[in-house]
Amino acid sequence: VYETPVLLQQVQTLSELVTVKYVLQKVEIMDSPPDSTLGKFVQDDNRVLLLAQGIVKAGIDLKKIKPADVTISGQTISIRLPTPQITDAYLDDTQTKVIERKTGFLRALDKDLEQTTRQNAVDDIRRAARENGILNDANELARLELRTFFEQAGFEQVEFR
């Protein structure tokens, strides 16, 4: 076992207020039929059946707030928040499992089929999170967190536009 150094490639400042995380599961099935006309009669499909567990995070990007978005009047602060966005979507590799992998009769192993299935699962999980209201939840929770922050900073009233 060789000990190799860890190299720092980039340091970035983060201004994302990630307020919500969804954990979703999805069964993803991908078939790859034979390409040739003769193969369709003689060969079987390559197939991957994947049980995917994905994580989707959402929040707001505080860097998008401009001075014109904030108004202070006495003990009242009024702020226009940027629209919430999905900040990250990925599969939890410890919980994602290939249930079935089949290489068709007289077919070569399709090395990219599992990777394509995983990418489709991430896309489907991201879409499902959006349809289930992750952006609305992110917006509500960001307002709650910022309201608490501003009240602790001494403002008596916090308004969101």
Side-chain angles (χ1 to χ4, degrees):
V1 176
Y2 294 97
E3 196 65 40
T4 60
V6 176
L7 302 176
L8 177 65
Q9 287 189 308
Q10 190 174 40
V11 175
Q12 294 179 322
T13 59
L14 297 179
S15 59
E16 296 170 341
L17 175 59
V18 177
T19 56
V20 66
K21 173 174 95 170
Y22 279 18
V23 178
L24 302 119
Q25 287 189 332
K26 168 102 171 70
V27 174
E28 194 77 30
I29 302 168
M30 179 153 295
D31 289 319
S32 173
D35 294 330
S36 68
T37 306
L38 178 63
K40 292 179 182 177
F41 294 108
V42 179
Q43 299 172 324
D44 289 331
D45 292 353
N46 285 348
R47 176 187 182 116
V48 170
L49 180 114
L50 182 77
L51 175 59
Q53 181 162 311
I55 297 170
V56 182
K57 298 177 183 177
I60 60 170
D61 188 351
L62 298 175
K63 271 189 182 172
K64 292 182 178 178
I65 298 175
K66 297 174 179 45
D69 296 330
V70 179
T71 306
I72 298 173
S73 176
Q75 295 298 311
T76 301
I77 185 168
S78 178
I79 186 168
R80 182 181 308 127
L81 294 180
T83 57
Q85 59 191 20
I86 291 177
T87 60
D88 204 5
Y90 57 92
L91 294 183
D92 180 349
D93 288 328
T94 63
Q95 299 298 316
T96 298
K97 295 175 180 28
V98 174
I99 305 298
E100 177 187 9
R101 180 181 292 117
K102 178 181 135 191
T103 302
F105 178 68
L106 297 175
R107 296 280 306 271
L109 175 67
D110 186 348
K111 298 174 192 166
D112 297 328
L113 189 59
E114 182 179 337
Q115 190 61 32
T116 302
T117 306
R118 286 176 175 271
Q119 185 57 51
N120 285 350
V122 171
D123 294 342
D124 289 346
I125 286 169
R126 179 185 288 115
R127 186 173 25 264
R130 189 179 298 272
E131 289 170 1
N132 283 304
I134 193 170
L135 296 177
N136 188 46
D137 289 347
N139 189 43
E140 288 179 22
L141 291 169
R143 288 173 181 235
L144 180 66
E145 289 294 322
L146 289 171
R147 180 178 306 281
T148 302
F149 173 77
F150 288 127
E151 286 173 351
Q152 289 178 352
F155 290 97
E156 293 176 6
Q157 192 170 9
V158 181
E159 299 171 353
F160 295 100
R161 302 180 299 216

